Amino acid sequence: MESTVIRIGGAAGDGVQSAGLILAKSLSRNGLYISTYNYYQSLIRGGESWYQVRASENVVKNQGSGLDILIALNEDALNRHTNPGINEGGASPLSGIAIFDGEMITNYKKYQNIKYCPIPLRDIALKYDKNSLLKNTVALGATMAALGLGFDTFSGVIQEVFGKKGKVAELNVSAAKDGYDYYLKTYGIFKKLHPVNRKLYIASGGEAVGLGAVNAGMQMYFAYPMTPASSALHFFANHAKKYNLFVKVTEDEISAINAAIGANYAGVRAMTGTSGGGFALMSEAVGLAGMTEVPLVIYEAQRPGPSTGLPTKTEQGDLNQILGAGQGDFPRIVLAPGNVTEAFDLAKEAFNLAAEYQLPVFIMSDLYLAEHVETLNNIDLTYKMEHGLIAQDNDPNFKRYEFTESGISKRAIPGQKGLMHNEDSDEHDEYGNVVSDEITDPKIRSLSMEKRMRKLETYKKNMPPTNAYRADGAENLISQWGSTKGVVEEIVDDLIDEGFSIGALEINHVYPLNPDIAGHLKNRNRIIVVENNFSGQLNRLIKSEFLVKTEFIGKYDGEAFYPDELKARVRQMLNIQYENVKIGGDK
Amino acid sequence: MESTVIRIGGAAGDGVQSAGLILAKSLSRNGLYISTYNYYQSLIRGGESWYQVRASENVVKNQGSGLDILIALNEDALNRHTNPGINEGGASPLSGIAIFDGEMITNYKKYQNIKYCPIPLRDIALKYDKNSLLKNTVALGATMAALGLGFDTFSGVIQEVFGKKGKVAELNVSAAKDGYDYYLKTYGIFKKLHPVNRKLYIASGGEAVGLGAVNAGMQMYFAYPMTPASSALHFFANHAKKYNLFVKVTEDEISAINAAIGANYAGVRAMTGTSGGGFALMSEAVGLAGMTEVPLVIYEAQRPGPSTGLPTKTEQGDLNQILGAGQGDFPRIVLAPGNVTEAFDLAKEAFNLAAEYQLPVFIMSDLYLAEHVETLNNIDLTYKMEHGLIAQDNDPNFKRYEFTESGISKRAIPGQKGLMHNEDSDEHDEYGNVVSDEITDPKIRSLSMEKRMRKLETYKKNMPPTNAYRADGAENLISQWGSTKGVVEEIVDDLIDEGFSIGALEINHVYPLNPDIAGHLKNRNRIIVVENNFSGQLNRLIKSEFLVKTEFIGKYDGEAFYPDELKARVRQMLNIQYENVKIGGDK
Amino acid sequence: MITMDNYKGKVRPDWCPGCGNFSQLRAITEALVQLNISPENVVITSGIGCSSNMPEFINTYGYHGLHGRLVPVAAGIKWANPDLKVIAYGGDGDGFFEGTQHFYHFAKRNVDITYMVSDNQVFGLTTGQASPTTPIGIVTKDTPDGNIEPPFNPLHYALTAGASFVARGFSGDIKGLTEITREAIKHRGFSFIDVLSPCTTYNKFNGYEFYRKAVYKLENNDKTDFYQAYKLASEWGDNHAIPTGIFYEVDKPTYEDADEVISKISLKNTDPYKLSEEDLQEFY
Amino acid sequence: MITMDNYKGKVRPDWCPGCGNFSQLRAITEALVQLNISPENVVITSGIGCSSNMPEFINTYGYHGLHGRLVPVAAGIKWANPDLKVIAYGGDGDGFFEGTQHFYHFAKRNVDITYMVSDNQVFGLTTGQASPTTPIGIVTKDTPDGNIEPPFNPLHYALTAGASFVARGFSGDIKGLTEITREAIKHRGFSFIDVLSPCTTYNKFNGYEFYRKAVYKLENNDKTDFYQAYKLASEWGDNHAIPTGIFYEVDKPTYEDADEVISKISLKNTDPYKLSEEDLQEFY
Ligand SMILES: Cc1ncc(C[n+]2csc(CCOP(=O)(O)OP(=O)(O)O)c2C)c(N)n1
Ligand SMILES: Cc1ncc(C[n+]2csc(CCOP(=O)(O)OP(=O)(O)O)c2C)c(N)n1
Ligand code: SF4
Ligand code: SF4
Ligand SMILES: [Mg+2]
Ligand SMILES: [Mg+2]
């Protein structure tokens, strides 16, 4: 797909990320689709950091391979991103123009395929401020010129971003203009992008989950800060007053989830969110929600484990944890949005599912999805809030856990007249009374287990169909879940162009698996499961559920898949003779 | 198998359990194998409770079906256990003799196949103590008479049990003798058991894990009390002084596991233990041990979930939780003893595995196994403590996390000279230095992941062969894990006698699955997986690993399988035409 | 008019004869009746333990959750719906071991709930292990050589945390306990009551007899004097040396008062915010 | 003779310029040197946070574990091997939020370890959210409308718990901090040091300037007077109103002294018990 990739590289503290965001916004305001990638360290200052924006007239599904424009804020960045030997977990080295301060950065190796465009960033910035803080703005101005875009849209963004600071905005606009003019005059347009007249929104996955939750009527959020779930926390905190949200950071994750359970039990939509380590602490309470049948939405943004792992990197390694959380068998639903737009949509869906089925519903994201910014595609703000089954006040026949065919029983909300009852983490009968107090009733126990588990059977009948992508009649199928959607779909397009017969299957309803997947898996030559983890956690689930042979492609170096990288691996797989997958070897 | 089942039924607080233990001990001292079953409520007083002892000259593999002698301590117990319609989760009603106080219990329904043997228990007891506390002892005396066993062995047990109380022991012996004589005189021997001249030991699974751990050199135990893990805690606490054990109950399970990690890191064998809910809280720290490669043995005694569930009942519902505990992929080993003897053996094995592979090793038990008492079979106290790889003091080339072929690297214990290093929950390089601080190294990250995960491949090559039972050439195979071993093996014997071609496969090394299992699964007509849970958690693992069709038999009413019950279900399955297992239906 | 009958639960309490929890059930019920509160507006949350079985035995809304987690659940409910009276009722193991952190932080926040602990100085439900309040030297199932863990002082803990109402009751004095409970429920802010509650089965050291002789009632203490309260809470002995009653009571803003949103509206009774196209503007 | 060089770590600290943690690294190292302790006999455990990266930067045994769990890890090590000096070093979020319960109960047990908190009143590593010690009103990433959570007083907490050594240091006074640290390490029992440690990046409210003017050194305070210590710990203000130094120090038995087993032997240096046939007798 025709697209342009611009990368800003520097050290932590250099303002790489905010410059990147301005760039993304500016391109988006030109009517271009964008997708970004944020590379940083678990470190406050120093360390390497970079931010990449990919833009196109068409929907941009991932951060992209290739690199057209590099803004290097220090020497290290210039050398690193131009060196063809260096490959940051799949990112491409530069083949295009390098924008940098030629007076500050002098010691670098020159490569043939690169046009070096030094600009006196600091000198220009010094005109406006003695600390030359506006260097980045100058460089961004130059970039807009290199892309042949007009100055006005860009200057609008600058004004908005620095607007609160009045004078500061003005200075930034002037500095940007100087950069813009200098570039145009000195080097001329590098690669012309064409603005499209349409209004596009951009957001990170964390913000999109937040927007979706608010759209779904969420009124309370409980959390303990943890990267990369914090983008949602910050979204809620920043919008608490505007959206009437109660946002509470508790002393730990255990408290957060128990408070969220209390709130949902009391009839208000509440969510909790965390990353893998914090979620581990929550796992006991997941079972509590499962047993007492309290609706609960849990947002889990993954980062590479085990343990503290790589706190600022990405991975999809927590599916086993989510599926295993809490002792004993109980129903749960796991959703995994494939991109920012789906993050919004599935957050909305999650709240209704929780209310209708009265169980814990997970929204699984990961650092890549949660923190990178992308164009929101077809945002629909309409929403029908499903309250699920609620008993009528004073209903004389009310049984909180009635054994129904669907497995779903009527709830009663504290404050409702004449429906006082007990919700119990101990096994209980239809009324909520504990079955093991005087004498255990093995029969009732079995019926209660079956009643709860039946909810999944009911749900399976009502699940939306699984998303197949160009998979009709394809000999080969790539299956994925979560944030690898975009990269998989893009390489499917490319591989079809190369003559391969291949399609994709996006499993964004991860648990329970939709029975319709069986049909999608049938009659394929090979089934490749792509996951951003080591062991193939979805792969294991697919195999146990559908007993099909699969091949697995994993990535566990902390970075997301890049299209070229993944394409090469899939192509290689398709080119070798199909051998029986070794039984028991899912790696 | 020829065996005799004796059951004592009463209310919580009636001393049912202690009477049962005396009975078990007395039969064991007669050289008989025994196995018991303990049925009680999560309630301190009142409520129904019973204790069953099964005895035989041959190895007794489970609690047994059938009921030969009932000691009913109250009316409710007499009526309940004689009623053929009542079936406590699989337990048999009485078909034999009922011993009870005919003056206290008068209101009961009579059944044909039962011989009613009223005895003035209270009157006899009153001779020795005005509160008639010795009733149970009188009844036990009667039982020994009914079984045609001599009085002396029994009286020896009584003396030992009440020995500390001097006079009390004497009174008990006299009361027992009265019961013995009364029964013999009035009713005569009911079913003669033949003492065998051999010395047999009996223990609960919790005690056996404790003994095994001590045998393996465990010196520290950290826990927070939780049924049914407490039998191990109490064992350790009671033997702390004798065995030089440091036993600490901490403020919560999180503290317990972290302290155990500290202790193991400091070079002392330490264990932590809990049940499912407590384990949920520990799950974050499991990943810590995995990442820092600290040896750690975790004892998890399951009870029925979800959540608080049935705290005094049994189930095998935590396998998913154990396999999923902790974010990200890291190696772990899961052992699941099939009986009390294996609990001892696998506890010993667990500590060496933890030390050799430097990872978390689980001993999974359940309430049935942990709390019921059984004959210890071939206890071997010899032990070779494997310390695993330890660096030499001042080794200049020491790399704590060296990338080795086996995946195992040398440890260094604090206090060792010249080996100071950092063990880190963040991803680290071979030296233990964090890889993400200044710049993340995707390459090192991948190598570290692979190094850790390689330990499982190394281990798979060294695993002991999987235990098959009469499975050679059998058309059908029952596979199981943990405490269902005995009941499965017994019904295999019976079904073979009935003419079926069937064998059993005991998977007591549950994770990773031994590759040799593939061979065992080959060429079977049907593979039946039996688990004491709802969803078939091992079944799922087998299917994903070996891609074989299986049928599942689950039990989730809080009780263990009884042989007759399970036999009937398997027989029925074998008798119906084999149909393809519905794909995706593991229930 | 609300009567005791309105609160009568459908399940008969299955505590052991003489168990202190019976008194607490009685005291809570009486206090609610005296305050004329309707059962549908009361929620009792609990942890896991003998004490925590309470919600089954009283006709209110009940949430019998996890060991140690009753306080955050209670706060979640209160924050969602300020019209409810929320009482967290649990054990000493429950609240002073497993839930240590929540007790402190929610007391500090001065959330408007009542937290009552049935302090029997032992783990009851798990059949008699040492609890955080078990005295030194006591032999229990997990301390066969005598407890060596220094006991936890619940009143000191609550005071230091900043609870605005701190009291101690005794199950043997239902009248006194009822009064304290009533005041606690009436109190605006975090009210904490530690109840000396005999466990007739597993606590063979401090039972009714001991306490009857040991306790005395606080009178004329300055309930706003923190240090006086703290010192009184240090008193312990066998001859009328254990004070009962309200140690500390001050009027201060609750967490709910300070929060921008719930100080103004009840979330339960307010429709959620409706997102509009305009709200997307910041993402443009 | 041990010198600073013996403790020089292989990894250069990557804290921000001016970060308070540099001072604590210095103070701990100097204290260990002054006490002539060999690096192989020191273990530093930590949680997760900027502060908790410490073990990487010093040449001792280091265990960089989980957020909030450094204290139980430290105790486990000490109980296994009494010959080691064990220092737990973490953040305020780490110790006063996530690890609240452990701090209290291990202090109560008076385990012989040193616990130092780098109290920067903010979550540093997660880029600036409110911590348990953030003052009311402060705007942070997760309190954009100003913090309303009442701050946690670490000294009160440690005192109430029963820590036998309670002190406060200031990163701007390395000499004073070193002295306190040395005394804490020497102290037998649980020693706690709260260090006022500026976060130059995220704490824009209480930095070096503020503290330089605000702190003063405790002199002639009666370190065995609990209430004096408690009252001193309540003092806070901007004009030499914040006391630093040792607030409380008493000599009392440690948990290890009370335990039947480890009061007598070092488990690390004792062979595990060897089971014999005789031990099976009780199972006969
Ligand atoms: C996470 C967890 N850990 C442990 C338990 C086991 N458990 C149940 S009740 C209890 C202690 C009961 O003591 P307490 O809280 O004092 O209540 P009491 O029974 O004395 O009223 C424990 C440890 C549990 N249910 N959950
Ligand atoms: C269980 C868990 N929850 C949350 C986090 C995320 N986290 C990492 S550091 C930190 C707080 C850091 O603040 P503090 O403890 O004060 O240390 P500082 O960085 O200020 O030194 C948090 C919340 C985590 N790593 N683990
Ligand atoms: S064990 Fe103790 S606390 Fe529990 S019900 Fe019986 S008397 Fe009450
Ligand atoms: S963010 Fe603050 S605490 Fe963290 S290293 Fe920087 S100055 Fe230190
Ligand atoms: Mg208690
Ligand atoms: Mg901090």
Side-chain angles (χ1 to χ4, degrees), chain A residues 284, chain B residues 224-227 253 274 277-279 281 303 308, chain C residues 21 48-52 66-67 69 90-95 98 118-126 129 131-132 199:
Chain A
E284 189 194 12
Chain B
Y224 186 81
M226 188 160 193
T227 308
E253 289 85 351
T274 183
F279 178 72
L281 293 166
R303 65 191 211 191
T308 312
Chain C
N21 282 301
I48 297 294
C50 294
S51 38
S52 292
L66 297 173
H67 189 53
R69 315 303 170 193
D92 45 334
D94 190 70
E98 191 78 75
S118 169
D119 188 354
N120 57 6
Q121 305 189 328
V122 79
F123 280 14
L125 194 63
T126 47
Q129 294 84 1
S131 90
C199 167

Side-chain angles (χ1 to χ4, degrees), chain D residues 51 91-94 118-124 131 133:
Chain D
S51 38
D92 45 333
D94 190 70
S118 169
D119 188 354
N120 58 7
Q121 305 188 330
V122 78
F123 280 14
S131 90
T133 49

Side-chain angles (χ1 to χ4, degrees), chain C residues 230 246 254 271:
Chain C
Y230 201 99
I246 301 169
T254 64
D271 279 339

Side-chain angles (χ1 to χ4, degrees), chain A residues 143-155:
Chain A
T143 306
M144 299 312 287
L147 293 170
L149 291 168
F151 184 72
D152 287 357
T153 305
F154 172 59
S155 114

Side-chain angles (χ1 to χ4, degrees), chain C residues 60-117:
Chain C
T60 63
Y61 283 92
Y63 195 83
H64 186 189
L66 297 173
H67 189 53
R69 315 303 170 193
L70 67 180
V71 172
V73 174
I77 295 167
K78 185 72 189 179
W79 285 334
N81 186 350
D83 299 336
L84 300 171
K85 280 284 173 200
V86 187
I87 301 169
Y89 184 78
D92 45 334
D94 190 70
F96 311 150
F97 262 167
E98 191 78 75
T100 315
Q101 68 269 42
H102 313 306
F103 177 13
Y104 200 79
H105 285 283
F106 285 93
K108 182 158 73 61
R109 292 173 187 129
N110 201 28
V111 179
D112 184 19
I113 58 175
T114 296
Y115 178 32
M116 183 189 283
V117 172

